[in-house]
PDB file of all heavy atoms in Angstrom:
ATOM      1  N   MET A  24     -20.723 -70.163  66.736  1.00  0.00           N
ATOM      2  CA  MET A  24     -21.953 -69.277  66.695  1.00  0.00           C
ATOM      3  C   MET A  24     -21.900 -68.352  65.463  1.00  0.00           C
ATOM      4  O   MET A  24     -22.964 -68.256  64.733  1.00  0.00           O
ATOM      5  CB  MET A  24     -22.058 -68.472  67.980  1.00  0.00           C
ATOM      6  CG  MET A  24     -23.301 -67.747  68.136  1.00  0.00           C
ATOM      7  SD  MET A  24     -24.739 -68.844  68.487  1.00  0.00           S
ATOM      8  CE  MET A  24     -24.284 -69.309  70.151  1.00  0.00           C
ATOM      9  N   ILE A  28     -24.480 -67.603  62.125  1.00  0.00           N
ATOM     10  CA  ILE A  28     -25.165 -66.265  61.909  1.00  0.00           C
ATOM     11  C   ILE A  28     -24.935 -65.749  60.547  1.00  0.00           C
ATOM     12  O   ILE A  28     -25.882 -65.324  59.865  1.00  0.00           O
ATOM     13  CB  ILE A  28     -24.666 -65.287  62.972  1.00  0.00           C
ATOM     14  CG1 ILE A  28     -25.111 -65.721  64.359  1.00  0.00           C
ATOM     15  CG2 ILE A  28     -25.186 -63.850  62.700  1.00  0.00           C
ATOM     16  CD1 ILE A  28     -24.509 -64.902  65.527  1.00  0.00           C
ATOM     17  N   THR A  61     -31.988 -57.712  68.678  1.00  0.00           N
ATOM     18  CA  THR A  61     -31.404 -58.904  69.318  1.00  0.00           C
ATOM     19  C   THR A  61     -29.894 -58.949  69.225  1.00  0.00           C
ATOM     20  O   THR A  61     -29.273 -59.931  69.712  1.00  0.00           O
ATOM     21  CB  THR A  61     -31.963 -60.160  68.688  1.00  0.00           C
ATOM     22  OG1 THR A  61     -31.630 -60.215  67.317  1.00  0.00           O
ATOM     23  CG2 THR A  61     -33.517 -60.187  68.815  1.00  0.00           C
ATOM     24  N   GLY A  62     -29.212 -57.922  68.642  1.00  0.00           N
ATOM     25  CA  GLY A  62     -27.797 -57.859  68.627  1.00  0.00           C
ATOM     26  C   GLY A  62     -27.083 -58.486  67.495  1.00  0.00           C
ATOM     27  O   GLY A  62     -25.887 -58.408  67.334  1.00  0.00           O
ATOM     28  N   LEU A  63     -27.800 -59.092  66.537  1.00  0.00           N
ATOM     29  CA  LEU A  63     -27.188 -59.844  65.380  1.00  0.00           C
ATOM     30  C   LEU A  63     -26.335 -58.909  64.554  1.00  0.00           C
ATOM     31  O   LEU A  63     -25.186 -59.282  64.221  1.00  0.00           O
ATOM     32  CB  LEU A  63     -28.266 -60.567  64.596  1.00  0.00           C
ATOM     33  CG  LEU A  63     -28.902 -61.794  65.277  1.00  0.00           C
ATOM     34  CD1 LEU A  63     -30.025 -62.320  64.355  1.00  0.00           C
ATOM     35  CD2 LEU A  63     -27.856 -62.855  65.516  1.00  0.00           C
ATOM     36  N   ALA A  66     -23.244 -57.651  66.255  1.00  0.00           N
ATOM     37  CA  ALA A  66     -22.213 -58.757  66.365  1.00  0.00           C
ATOM     38  C   ALA A  66     -21.484 -58.977  65.059  1.00  0.00           C
ATOM     39  O   ALA A  66     -20.345 -59.266  65.023  1.00  0.00           O
ATOM     40  CB  ALA A  66     -22.896 -59.968  66.860  1.00  0.00           C
ATOM     41  N   HIS A 114     -32.763 -66.612  65.676  1.00  0.00           N
ATOM     42  CA  HIS A 114     -31.629 -66.137  66.500  1.00  0.00           C
ATOM     43  C   HIS A 114     -31.028 -67.410  67.097  1.00  0.00           C
ATOM     44  O   HIS A 114     -31.792 -68.341  67.546  1.00  0.00           O
ATOM     45  CB  HIS A 114     -32.158 -65.187  67.613  1.00  0.00           C
ATOM     46  CG  HIS A 114     -31.080 -64.563  68.372  1.00  0.00           C
ATOM     47  ND1 HIS A 114     -30.306 -65.119  69.368  1.00  0.00           N
ATOM     48  CD2 HIS A 114     -30.607 -63.194  68.259  1.00  0.00           C
ATOM     49  CE1 HIS A 114     -29.485 -64.235  69.843  1.00  0.00           C
ATOM     50  NE2 HIS A 114     -29.605 -63.108  69.221  1.00  0.00           N
ATOM     51  N   PRO A 115     -29.710 -67.495  67.192  1.00  0.00           N
ATOM     52  CA  PRO A 115     -29.127 -68.751  67.705  1.00  0.00           C
ATOM     53  C   PRO A 115     -29.305 -69.030  69.168  1.00  0.00           C
ATOM     54  O   PRO A 115     -29.111 -70.149  69.653  1.00  0.00           O
ATOM     55  CB  PRO A 115     -27.643 -68.511  67.407  1.00  0.00           C
ATOM     56  CG  PRO A 115     -27.443 -67.062  67.371  1.00  0.00           C
ATOM     57  CD  PRO A 115     -28.709 -66.514  66.794  1.00  0.00           C
ATOM     58  N   GLN A 116     -29.730 -68.005  69.951  1.00  0.00           N
ATOM     59  CA  GLN A 116     -29.958 -68.186  71.360  1.00  0.00           C
ATOM     60  C   GLN A 116     -31.293 -67.790  71.856  1.00  0.00           C
ATOM     61  O   GLN A 116     -31.765 -68.363  72.858  1.00  0.00           O
ATOM     62  CB  GLN A 116     -28.854 -67.370  72.145  1.00  0.00           C
ATOM     63  CG  GLN A 116     -27.420 -67.841  71.895  1.00  0.00           C
ATOM     64  CD  GLN A 116     -26.501 -66.996  72.678  1.00  0.00           C
ATOM     65  OE1 GLN A 116     -26.404 -65.789  72.519  1.00  0.00           O
ATOM     66  NE2 GLN A 116     -25.685 -67.626  73.594  1.00  0.00           N
ATOM     67  N   ALA A 127     -29.430 -60.093  76.281  1.00  0.00           N
ATOM     68  CA  ALA A 127     -29.445 -61.036  75.129  1.00  0.00           C
ATOM     69  C   ALA A 127     -28.350 -60.654  74.173  1.00  0.00           C
ATOM     70  O   ALA A 127     -27.691 -61.538  73.613  1.00  0.00           O
ATOM     71  CB  ALA A 127     -30.779 -60.920  74.378  1.00  0.00           C
ATOM     72  N   THR A 128     -28.090 -59.409  73.934  1.00  0.00           N
ATOM     73  CA  THR A 128     -27.015 -58.927  73.086  1.00  0.00           C
ATOM     74  C   THR A 128     -25.645 -59.252  73.708  1.00  0.00           C
ATOM     75  O   THR A 128     -24.733 -59.743  73.088  1.00  0.00           O
ATOM     76  CB  THR A 128     -27.124 -57.480  72.760  1.00  0.00           C
ATOM     77  OG1 THR A 128     -28.281 -57.225  71.930  1.00  0.00           O
ATOM     78  CG2 THR A 128     -25.918 -56.937  72.026  1.00  0.00           C
ATOM     79  N   ARG A 129     -25.538 -58.996  74.984  1.00  0.00           N
ATOM     80  CA  ARG A 129     -24.256 -59.287  75.685  1.00  0.00           C
ATOM     81  C   ARG A 129     -23.952 -60.820  75.625  1.00  0.00           C
ATOM     82  O   ARG A 129     -22.797 -61.225  75.414  1.00  0.00           O
ATOM     83  CB  ARG A 129     -24.280 -58.782  77.101  1.00  0.00           C
ATOM     84  CG  ARG A 129     -24.402 -57.288  77.244  1.00  0.00           C
ATOM     85  CD  ARG A 129     -24.313 -56.826  78.697  1.00  0.00           C
ATOM     86  NE  ARG A 129     -24.579 -55.434  78.825  1.00  0.00           N
ATOM     87  CZ  ARG A 129     -25.725 -54.875  79.300  1.00  0.00           C
ATOM     88  NH1 ARG A 129     -26.682 -55.683  79.697  1.00  0.00           N
ATOM     89  NH2 ARG A 129     -25.849 -53.557  79.397  1.00  0.00           N
ATOM     90  N   ASP A 130     -25.030 -61.634  75.824  1.00  0.00           N
ATOM     91  CA  ASP A 130     -24.816 -63.068  75.811  1.00  0.00           C
ATOM     92  C   ASP A 130     -24.370 -63.509  74.384  1.00  0.00           C
ATOM     93  O   ASP A 130     -23.587 -64.440  74.225  1.00  0.00           O
ATOM     94  CB  ASP A 130     -26.054 -63.795  76.236  1.00  0.00           C
ATOM     95  CG  ASP A 130     -26.328 -63.671  77.706  1.00  0.00           C
ATOM     96  OD1 ASP A 130     -25.447 -63.270  78.455  1.00  0.00           O
ATOM     97  OD2 ASP A 130     -27.500 -63.921  78.101  1.00  0.00           O
ATOM     98  N   LEU A 131     -24.935 -62.943  73.368  1.00  0.00           N
ATOM     99  CA  LEU A 131     -24.575 -63.279  71.997  1.00  0.00           C
ATOM    100  C   LEU A 131     -23.104 -62.948  71.735  1.00  0.00           C
ATOM    101  O   LEU A 131     -22.400 -63.735  71.144  1.00  0.00           O
ATOM    102  CB  LEU A 131     -25.516 -62.480  71.035  1.00  0.00           C
ATOM    103  CG  LEU A 131     -25.160 -62.661  69.525  1.00  0.00           C
ATOM    104  CD1 LEU A 131     -25.373 -64.142  69.140  1.00  0.00           C
ATOM    105  CD2 LEU A 131     -25.984 -61.760  68.694  1.00  0.00           C
ATOM    106  N   PHE A 132     -22.667 -61.781  72.151  1.00  0.00           N
ATOM    107  CA  PHE A 132     -21.281 -61.378  71.957  1.00  0.00           C
ATOM    108  C   PHE A 132     -20.402 -62.345  72.665  1.00  0.00           C
ATOM    109  O   PHE A 132     -19.312 -62.811  72.193  1.00  0.00           O
ATOM    110  CB  PHE A 132     -20.989 -59.939  72.429  1.00  0.00           C
ATOM    111  CG  PHE A 132     -21.224 -58.904  71.319  1.00  0.00           C
ATOM    112  CD1 PHE A 132     -22.489 -58.720  70.815  1.00  0.00           C
ATOM    113  CD2 PHE A 132     -20.168 -58.147  70.894  1.00  0.00           C
ATOM    114  CE1 PHE A 132     -22.699 -57.759  69.829  1.00  0.00           C
ATOM    115  CE2 PHE A 132     -20.381 -57.166  69.899  1.00  0.00           C
ATOM    116  CZ  PHE A 132     -21.632 -56.956  69.385  1.00  0.00           C
ATOM    117  N   ALA A 133     -20.724 -62.752  73.864  1.00  0.00           N
ATOM    118  CA  ALA A 133     -19.926 -63.694  74.645  1.00  0.00           C
ATOM    119  C   ALA A 133     -19.862 -65.035  73.919  1.00  0.00           C
ATOM    120  O   ALA A 133     -18.817 -65.702  73.884  1.00  0.00           O
ATOM    121  CB  ALA A 133     -20.468 -63.826  76.042  1.00  0.00           C
ATOM    122  N   ALA A 134     -20.993 -65.501  73.466  1.00  0.00           N
ATOM    123  CA  ALA A 134     -20.999 -66.797  72.724  1.00  0.00           C
ATOM    124  C   ALA A 134     -20.178 -66.782  71.429  1.00  0.00           C
ATOM    125  O   ALA A 134     -19.686 -67.860  71.038  1.00  0.00           O
ATOM    126  CB  ALA A 134     -22.426 -67.151  72.401  1.00  0.00           C
ATOM    127  N   CYS A 135     -20.010 -65.559  70.841  1.00  0.00           N
ATOM    128  CA  CYS A 135     -19.206 -65.410  69.624  1.00  0.00           C
ATOM    129  C   CYS A 135     -17.726 -65.040  69.929  1.00  0.00           C
ATOM    130  O   CYS A 135     -16.931 -64.787  69.026  1.00  0.00           O
ATOM    131  CB  CYS A 135     -19.812 -64.357  68.742  1.00  0.00           C
ATOM    132  SG  CYS A 135     -21.502 -64.789  68.060  1.00  0.00           S
TER     133      CYS A 135
END
Side-chain angles (χ1 to χ4, degrees):
M24 189 73 70
I28 294 170
T61 62
L63 289 174
H114 191 282
Q116 295 178 302
T128 293
R129 296 186 186 104
D130 288 344
L131 176 65
F132 271 64
C135 294

